[in-house]
């Protein structure tokens, strides 16, 4: 959604169907002796909570199957009327695959196995103790595939642009959706594009992560070790159509990529504030790299959302920027070039959108800024040279005030203790810069140590 709307200027209307009645929900309701509605609402609440914690843009509307059964019944009646479905004496309604000839089977080639074509259920008579709705065919409930076609048609009419889902839904679910939707609307093409995403696997496992297989990690547990932004980077480093292995190694790679960008952004901010001194910058070179990066990223994302190539291009821009940001102790009055760096950082933060590479919140930023400023003043006071013979320096060089050395050690201790908490302070000569990383207490954080050295003469 972010790519389509923010980069390509497309208005995206995202509708999501919540399946709140199916065989699995009914089975679990029997086992736990609770209503199917209670189980479905628990699933829905967990799903929405997980989306919020991982900063996923929510759909424009959620639509529950149980609130649209009357539309589903009417949809099935339309398919029957058009001659593509039939009812049994027992009260079931099936789609007649032969009625559409060779138009069935578009996604069979997308799966590894060969399937025999069989008529599939649009309406299923309810068994004892199962939820049911009244219909022209008797008491029953919707089949699995019909719900998506009906609800999508209620929102978008006879055609939609993009239909998404996991690769395992291509056949038979999406195949059946196409058949029944085109049979109802009497159209030649119901959906313009299908985006089939690869599965998330535990490394070394051929099976996808699934609650039913008990081979998954909960979002709550995941966020104890990694952040939502790190997971988003982890996903961006793989093509959406490909399966992706979840492992600590892959997550650390994502963390390192995000940290590279975050560190660069903070260094640029320090440079723009005058806190970081560098030799003269090759402005024309950076402007050219920025223009090339913008063009290359748009081409990559226009090529079936090739996010790995786009991220690689972005990291190359960061590399070129870092080559120009070589800190020096003094600037010697050299000309500064904050504008080009500001343009680079603005583009990076915009392209990554709410991933928020700085990972900061306004109020926390202000606290860290004040803390770092106070520490810098204390450190500058402690580093003030002393020229008399009693100083701690070597002959002919200024030294430190002995009674101020504990202040320097306290500054170092504060810096070292804040690093594992995600607040990294970097001492650059007489000034200091800071950044808030993705690190959390108890996780592997960046530790930076600078020994106290005598000021040079």
């Amino acid at each position: 959604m972010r790519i389509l709307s923010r980069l390509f200027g497309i208005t995206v209307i995202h509708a999501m169907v919540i399946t709140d009645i199916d065989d699995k929900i009914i089975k679990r309701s029997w086992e736990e002796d609770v209503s199917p509605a209670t189980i479905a609402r628990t699933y829905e609440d967990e799903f929405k909570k997980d989306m919020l914690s991982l900063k996923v843009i929510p759909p424009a509307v959620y639509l529950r199957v149980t609130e649209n059964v009357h539309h589903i019944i009417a949809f099935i009646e339309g398919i029957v009327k058009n001659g593509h479905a039939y009812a049994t004496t027992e009260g079931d309604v099936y789609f007649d695959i032969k009625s559409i000839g060779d138009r069935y089977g578009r996604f069979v080639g997308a799966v590894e196995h060969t399937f025999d074509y069989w008529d599939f259920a649009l309406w299923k008579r309810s068994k004892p103790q199962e939820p049911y709705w009244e219909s022209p065919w008797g008491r029953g409930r919707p089949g699995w595939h019909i719900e998506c076609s009906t609800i999508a048609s209620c929102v978008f009419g006879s055609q939609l642009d993009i239909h998404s889902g996991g690769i395992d839904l291509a056949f038979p679910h999406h195949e059946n959706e196409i058949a029944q939707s085109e049979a109802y609307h009497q159209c030649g093409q119901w959906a313009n594009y299908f985006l089939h995403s690869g599965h998330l696997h535990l490394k070394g496992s051929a099976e996808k992560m699934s609650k039913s297989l008990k081979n998954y990690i909960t979002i709550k547990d995941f966020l104890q070790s990694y952040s939502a932004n790190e997971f988003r980077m982890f996903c961006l480093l793989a093509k959406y159509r490909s399966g992706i292995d979840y492992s600590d190694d892959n997550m650390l790679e994502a963390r390192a990529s995000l940290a590279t960008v975050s560190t660069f952004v903070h260094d640029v901010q320090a440079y723009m504030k005058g806190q970081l001194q560098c030799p003269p910058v090759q402005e024309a070179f950076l402007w050219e790299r920025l223009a090339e990066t913008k063009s290359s990223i748009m081409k990559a994302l226009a090529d079936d959302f090739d996010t790995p190539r786009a991220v690689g291009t972005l990291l190359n821009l960061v590399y070129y920027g870092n080559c120009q940001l070589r800190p020096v102790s003094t600037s010697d009055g050299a000309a500064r070039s904050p504008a080009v760096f500001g343009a680079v950082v603005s583009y990076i933060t915009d392209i990554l959108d709410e991933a928020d590479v700085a990972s900061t919140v306004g109020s926390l930023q202000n606290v860290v800024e004040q803390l770092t400023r106070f520490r810098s003043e204390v450190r500058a006071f402690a580093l003030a040279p002393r020229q008399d013979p009693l100083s701690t320096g070597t002959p002919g060089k200024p030294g430190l005030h002995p009674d101020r050395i504990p202040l320097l050690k306290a500054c170092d201790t504060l810096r070292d203790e804040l690093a594992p908490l995600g607040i990294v302070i970097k001492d650059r000569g007489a000034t200091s810069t800071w950044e808030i990383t993705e690190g959390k207490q108890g996780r592997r954080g960046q530790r930076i140590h600078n020994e106290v050295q005598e000021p040079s003469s």
Side-chain angles (χ1 to χ4, degrees):
M1 285 181 63
R2 285 182 171 89
I3 293 174
L4 290 174
S5 60
R6 291 179 60 86
L7 298 182
F8 294 105
I10 297 173
T11 299
V12 179
I13 304 170
H14 181 196
M16 179 174 288
V17 179
I18 301 293
T19 301
D20 55 354
I21 183 69
D22 64 7
D23 292 341
K24 291 182 179 179
I25 291 176
I26 292 172
K27 182 176 183 294
R28 183 176 168 185
S29 72
W30 287 344
E31 294 172 347
E32 301 182 12
D33 195 25
V34 295
S35 69
T38 298
I39 293 175
R41 184 53 60 90
T42 300
Y43 283 148
E44 182 177 344
D45 290 343
E46 290 176 352
F47 173 76
K48 291 180 178 179
K49 183 178 179 181
D50 289 344
M51 288 185 67
L52 181 63
S53 63
L54 284 170
K55 302 181 182 180
V56 176
I57 297 177
V61 61
Y62 292 98
L63 298 135
R64 300 185 185 93
V65 173
T66 55
E67 295 173 354
N68 288 273
V69 175
H70 59 296
H71 291 305
I72 293 174
I73 292 173
F75 200 90
I76 296 173
E77 287 183 302
I79 298 175
V80 173
K81 181 181 178 181
N82 290 336
H84 297 290
Y86 57 90
T88 67
T89 56
E90 291 82 9
D92 299 309
V93 181
Y94 286 91
F95 186 88
D96 182 4
I97 289 181
K98 293 185 177 64
S99 69
I100 61 174
D102 60 1
R103 295 182 62 190
Y104 187 87
R106 302 183 189 184
F107 288 135
V108 172
V111 294
E112 297 179 357
H113 306 288
T114 300
F115 294 89
D116 292 327
Y117 298 159
W118 61 86
D119 295 347
F120 56 89
L122 302 178
W123 185 261
K124 302 165 69 173
R125 69 185 185 279
S126 291
K127 299 175 183 177
Q129 297 183 332
E130 283 189 351
Y132 65 84
W133 286 263
E134 299 291 348
S135 79
W137 315 285
R139 291 179 174 179
R141 58 188 176 89
W144 173 33
H145 316 294
I146 195 66
E147 60 189 47
C148 297
S149 294
T150 301
I151 296 177
S153 296
C154 289
V155 177
F156 301 111
S158 61
Q159 191 174 55
L160 67 156
D161 292 305
I162 299 174
H163 195 317
S164 64
I167 186 61
D168 58 330
L169 296 179
F171 186 91
H173 186 51
H174 290 166
E175 188 73 59
N176 291 348
E177 280 191 70
I178 292 174
Q180 64 200 12
S181 298
E182 294 179 356
Y184 175 83
H185 294 294
Q186 297 290 278
C187 64
Q189 181 167 300
W190 173 59
N192 292 332
Y193 300 97
F194 277 85
L195 300 185
H196 291 130
S197 57
H199 290 150
L200 183 64
H201 303 259
L202 287 174
K203 188 172 184 180
S205 172
E207 301 289 344
K208 69 174 183 178
M209 279 195 185
S210 169
K211 285 187 177 181
S212 60
L213 296 176
K214 302 185 186 304
N215 64 342
Y216 68 100
I217 179 173
T218 66
I219 299 297
K220 180 180 179 181
D221 290 340
F222 171 85
L223 292 176
Q224 295 299 313
S225 301
Y226 303 101
S227 72
N229 289 338
E230 288 168 342
F231 182 75
R232 292 180 69 183
M233 179 60 76
F234 165 73
C235 294
L236 290 174
L237 291 173
K239 289 190 175 181
Y240 79 92
R241 290 187 182 274
S242 304
I244 182 171
D245 287 334
Y246 173 83
S247 67
D248 284 334
D249 287 343
N250 289 340
M251 284 306 306
L252 290 176
E253 178 186 357
R255 174 179 290 176
S257 297
L258 193 63
T260 297
V261 177
S262 179
T263 299
F264 173 71
V265 169
H266 280 91
D267 286 347
V268 167
Q269 291 173 342
Y271 175 81
M272 296 180 69
K273 293 177 182 178
Q275 298 171 341
L276 179 62
Q277 306 300 325
C278 295
V281 172
Q282 296 177 323
E283 283 195 47
F285 175 80
L286 281 183
W287 283 118
E288 290 175 3
R289 298 291 80 73
L290 177 59
E292 290 176 357
T293 298
K294 291 181 178 181
S295 176
S296 297
I297 286 181
M298 289 296 286
K299 289 178 181 178
L301 296 179
D303 183 13
D304 198 21
F305 306 110
D306 192 344
T307 56
R309 179 151 55 104
V311 171
T313 302
L314 195 70
L315 291 176
N316 283 338
L317 177 63
V318 170
Y319 168 77
Y320 291 128
N322 277 327
C323 288
Q324 300 293 318
L325 280 179
R326 300 190 303 274
V328 295
S329 299
T330 58
S331 63
D332 296 327
R336 292 171 47 76
S337 306
V340 65
F341 280 112
V344 169
V345 165
S346 293
Y347 175 71
I348 290 174
T349 55
D350 183 63
I351 202 72
L352 293 179
D353 191 26
E354 295 178 22
D356 187 12
V357 295
S359 303
T360 55
V361 179
S363 58
L364 181 58
Q365 282 183 317
N366 294 333
V367 171
V368 176
E369 177 70 28
Q370 294 299 324
L371 177 63
T372 306
R373 183 178 301 172
F374 173 76
R375 178 182 175 274
S376 295
E377 292 176 357
V378 172
R379 189 167 173 272
F381 173 76
L383 285 172
R386 183 178 179 185
Q387 299 288 350
D388 62 70
L390 297 179
S391 70
T392 58
T394 57
K397 291 187 177 181
L400 303 177
H401 294 268
D403 57 342
R404 299 182 186 180
I405 291 179
L407 292 176
L408 289 176
K409 292 182 179 180
C411 289
D412 286 349
T413 298
L414 175 63
R415 177 199 60 209
D416 292 344
E417 290 181 349
L418 288 176
L421 302 178
I423 300 174
V424 177
I425 298 176
K426 298 180 181 180
D427 295 322
R428 304 180 184 279
T431 62
S432 299
T433 61
W434 60 270
E435 67 176 292
I436 301 176
T437 71
E438 291 286 347
K440 290 185 179 179
Q441 190 171 7
R443 299 193 303 191
R444 187 181 303 175
Q446 301 182 41
R447 298 190 62 86
I448 300 175
H449 176 72
N450 288 336
E451 295 181 353
V452 177
Q453 298 179 345
E454 300 173 1
S456 57
S457 57

